[in-house]
Amino acid sequence: MNLLELVQDVADLLGIPRPASVYGSLDAGTRQLLQLANREGRELSSRYPWQVLTREATFTTVATESQGTLASIIGASQTLRSVVNDTLWNRSTGEAICGPRDGRTWQAYKAQTFTSPEAEYRIRGGSLLMLPAPTAGETVAFEYVSNCWLTDSTGVTYRSAFAADSDVVLLDPEIMRVGLEWRWLQRKGFEYAESFASYERMVADAMARDGTKATIFLGESAVDAEMAIPRLIGS
């Protein structure tokens, strides 16, 4: 769903004039819908690490503590919201990179000669730090959640705010519709409780289903349960 489709759908639902264009419009009501749509996208994208916004980054290590800024690692096409915990791995050695370490622990490492068979990391000042300093030329990867919740019409350029009527929303379009609806009702001083309650149920349901979920075993180990699943011979 693009910006124009989103706003036109909500305008029809609310019974207000349907705009022919949104971005760049001089109409005050249309400009308000644009800003409310941006607010909805920003707030919905920040509520959960949605799988559609989750990306993978790789970089080549240098033999120093600082491996550079996270912005330079993920590249200019994305903006970082957060790094996903427990996803930093050295693909050259097959070893996990432990962390994140807090400031107290990091400074304790720096106050002594720190040696460890395992690499450890800390994020500080927007940069990725590693101790002991890794060997140069190794490949490290991690997952992160992007701040970009929409793209241009080609799907190539990622954005964190609308810049054209043809910009495409990556988040659930129905949630975006209901979110824009209740925000408009609230802004105009109308009753919005029912729309907001419906919206919150939709968001909670989407969170529960997003990206599939791991099974939690309470009565037996995960290994035992998987062994009980019938499999064809040879599979």
Side-chain angles (χ1 to χ4, degrees):
M1 169 177 282
N2 62 36
L3 170 62
L4 183 58
E5 293 168 337
L6 171 64
V7 171
Q8 287 181 337
D9 283 359
V10 173
D12 291 345
L13 178 68
L14 295 171
I16 60 177
R18 162 189 276 232
S21 64
V22 178
Y23 193 82
S25 173
L26 298 180
D27 178 73
T30 302
R31 291 169 67 86
Q32 184 180 59
L33 283 168
L34 169 61
Q35 293 306 316
L36 291 174
N38 274 322
R39 173 172 288 184
E40 170 59 24
R42 288 193 301 267
E43 295 189 7
L44 179 60
S45 65
S46 68
R47 289 187 62 171
Y48 186 78
W50 304 103
Q51 59 82 20
V52 74
L53 304 183
T54 303
R55 307 275 182 265
E56 180 182 86
T58 61
F59 66 94
T60 302
T61 58
V62 293
T64 60
E65 177 182 337
S66 177
Q67 300 302 301
T69 65
L70 290 168
S72 66
I73 291 173
I74 69 173
S77 67
Q78 300 284 342
T79 56
L80 179 73
R81 184 178 298 281
S82 61
V83 174
V84 179
N85 283 340
D86 303 321
T87 63
L88 270 80
W89 283 78
N90 187 321
R91 292 186 175 177
S92 298
T93 65
E95 298 175 339
I97 299 174
C98 303
R101 297 293 179 250
D102 60 25
R104 181 177 185 277
T105 301
W106 201 258
Q107 292 305 316
Y109 289 165
K110 297 296 292 294
Q112 53 191 290
T113 303
F114 179 72
T115 58
S116 172
E118 297 178 332
E120 304 189 26
Y121 81 93
R122 171 169 167 74
I123 295 173
R124 186 183 67 199
S127 294
L128 178 63
L129 312 179
M130 290 176 60
L131 283 177
T135 301
E138 296 179 339
T139 299
V140 172
F142 62 88
E143 292 190 358
Y144 68 96
V145 181
S146 173
N147 198 44
C148 298
W149 49 273
L150 50 86
T151 71
D152 66 355
S153 59
T154 67
V156 174
T157 302
Y158 289 85
R159 293 173 175 151
S160 56
F162 288 110
D165 282 354
S166 57
D167 283 350
V168 179
V169 177
L170 298 175
L171 301 167
D172 188 306
E174 188 58 31
I175 294 178
M176 287 290 295
R177 286 191 193 97
V178 180
L180 181 53
E181 175 193 350
W182 79 257
R183 290 178 190 280
W184 186 89
L185 292 171
Q186 180 194 47
R187 180 64 59 177
K188 294 299 185 181
F190 297 132
E191 173 58 46
Y192 68 93
E194 184 176 346
S195 292
F196 178 70
S198 176
Y199 170 82
E200 286 296 309
R201 288 193 297 269
M202 292 171 67
V203 172
D205 182 62
M207 289 178 179
R209 293 182 289 103
D210 188 63
T212 73
K213 305 298 178 186
T215 301
I216 299 176
F217 296 92
L218 300 178
E220 56 189 355
S221 72
V223 174
D224 291 341
E226 289 181 358
M227 290 295 291
I229 299 174
R231 290 182 172 85
L232 295 176
I233 295 175
S235 64

